[in-house]
């Protein structure tokens, strides 16, 4: 005979086990779903964080930096100094004059630049950016020099540095020394490269005398006939002289 009780008992036992498995599986599924949800949330936050960092870096690197108040004050003082030194020279422009033009207390000028000499040195920076004459047509050296001279004084990127030095050098040794530095460090090396280096000083001195004399008459003294000269007229008349000076009088 079949023990129906056992069968029933086993059936109940197996049925109970199956229910337990279903419950365990549902619990595992809920647990896994919770973990997946947490992971998704974490990944979302991570992506948002990375995007935020990238955006902040991009904006910081590509947007112009804000100018601080001290930088604006320094620039304002320097612009006033350039204007006044160019118009009146070193002796004719005082710290008080610069401060008044910049609408600032004179003590602030000293705070930012320490002395009149340092302010002058910063205002009178000159970079002629003379072309490398050794790589151009030798017969075009004089024309190249005079055209570069006109760019320095009258071109879009011209600055007041040369006017400041030239106006001040006759009465102030500090300005004269800075002008000699421009000659020694910028003019002479370029001239030395196109002919005998042993004769570079003489040739560079002649070139400088021609250009500084023209600058004095055209930009500082403003002699009407010289001011009236067009660029082409200056190139045609001064270029050949610079050519002869630069390459040597005996050069072809």
């Amino acid at each position: 005979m079949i023990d129906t009780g056992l069968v029933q008992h086993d059936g109940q036992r197996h049925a109970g086990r199956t229910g337990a498995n279903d419950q365990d599986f549902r619990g595992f599924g809920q647990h896994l779903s919770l973990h997946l949800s947490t992971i998704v949330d974490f990944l979302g936050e991570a992506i948002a964080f990375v995007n935020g960092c990238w955006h902040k870096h991009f904006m910081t690197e590509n947007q112009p930096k804000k100018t601080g108040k001290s930088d604006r004050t320094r620039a304002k003082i320097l612009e006033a100094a350039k204007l006044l030194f160019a118009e009146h020279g070193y002796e004719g422009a005082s710290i008080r004059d610069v401060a008044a033009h910049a609408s600032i207390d004179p003590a602030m000028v000293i705070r930012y630049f320490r002395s009149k000499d340092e302010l002058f040195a910063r205002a009178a920076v000159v970079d002629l950016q003379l072309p490398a004459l050794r790589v151009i047509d030798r017969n075009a050296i004089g024309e190249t020099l005079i055209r570069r001279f006109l760019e320095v004084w009258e071109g879009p990127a011209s600055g007041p540095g040369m006017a400041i030095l030239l106006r001040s050098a006759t009465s102030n040794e500090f300005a004269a020394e800075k002008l000699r530095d421009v000659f020694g460090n910028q003019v002479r090396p370029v001239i030395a490269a196109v002919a005998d280096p042993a004769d570079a000083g003489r040739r560079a001195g002649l070139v400088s005398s021609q250009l500084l004399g023209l600058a004095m008459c055209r930009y500082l003294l403003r002699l009407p006939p010289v001011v009236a000269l067009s660029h082409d007229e200056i190139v045609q008349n001064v270029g050949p002289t610079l050519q002869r000076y630069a390459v040597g009088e005996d050069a072809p």
Side-chain angles (χ1 to χ4, degrees):
M1 293 179 62
I2 299 175
D3 188 350
T4 55
L6 180 59
V7 173
Q8 292 175 356
H9 176 73
D10 288 342
Q12 291 175 356
R13 181 176 60 189
H14 287 297
R17 185 62 180 173
T18 300
N21 288 338
D22 290 343
Q23 184 176 2
D24 290 344
F25 183 77
R26 286 194 298 270
F28 173 75
Q30 293 173 353
H31 186 68
L32 178 61
S33 176
L34 179 60
H35 275 284
L36 288 176
S37 177
T38 302
I39 293 172
V40 169
D41 290 342
F42 173 77
L43 289 176
E45 292 177 0
I47 293 172
F49 174 77
V50 171
N51 286 338
C53 290
W54 178 87
H55 179 74
K56 181 178 180 181
H57 173 75
F58 179 81
M59 295 300 290
T60 301
E61 291 296 320
N62 290 276
Q63 283 187 347
K65 293 179 173 59
K66 294 182 179 179
T67 304
K69 182 178 180 181
S70 60
D71 292 335
R72 292 194 298 271
T73 301
R74 182 185 297 272
K76 191 175 182 180
I77 294 171
L78 190 56
E79 286 303 311
K82 288 179 179 179
L83 178 64
L84 294 179
F85 283 137
E87 289 183 353
H88 307 294
Y90 179 93
E91 303 297 342
S94 67
I95 291 292
R96 289 187 176 277
D97 293 333
V98 173
H101 194 276
S103 300
I104 199 170
D105 190 281
M108 295 296 290
V109 178
I110 299 302
R111 173 184 173 186
Y112 283 102
F113 293 95
R114 295 187 297 184
S115 68
K116 183 178 177 180
D117 281 354
E118 182 170 340
L119 178 60
F120 182 85
R122 292 288 303 277
V125 172
V126 174
D127 184 3
L128 298 177
Q129 296 183 355
L130 294 174
L133 300 180
R134 65 181 181 277
V135 301
I136 68 171
D137 182 355
R138 184 177 179 82
N139 295 322
I141 288 176
E143 179 180 344
T144 300
L145 284 172
I146 190 59
R147 289 193 183 279
R148 179 56 191 158
F149 167 86
L150 292 171
E151 289 177 4
V152 169
W153 284 92
E154 302 178 24
S158 62
M162 280 300 297
I164 291 172
L165 289 180
L166 193 55
R167 190 178 294 278
S168 304
T170 57
S171 60
N172 181 265
E173 179 57 27
F174 181 68
E177 181 59 33
K178 285 186 65 64
L179 196 56
R180 287 192 288 268
D181 286 342
V182 173
F183 167 79
N185 296 325
Q186 299 186 46
V187 179
R188 181 169 179 164
V190 171
I191 299 299
V194 299
D196 183 5
D199 191 37
R202 182 184 70 85
R203 291 182 289 111
L206 290 171
V207 168
S208 297
S209 68
Q210 186 71 30
L211 294 178
L212 291 177
L214 176 59
M216 178 69 75
C217 293
R218 185 173 174 88
Y219 306 114
L220 272 63
L221 298 178
R222 302 184 190 279
L223 297 181
V226 181
V227 173
L229 290 172
S230 69
H231 284 196
D232 287 341
E233 288 176 314
I234 293 174
V235 171
Q236 291 171 6
N237 287 276
V238 180
T241 301
L242 292 179
Q243 176 73 25
R244 181 165 57 89
Y245 287 162
V247 302
E249 293 180 353
D250 299 329

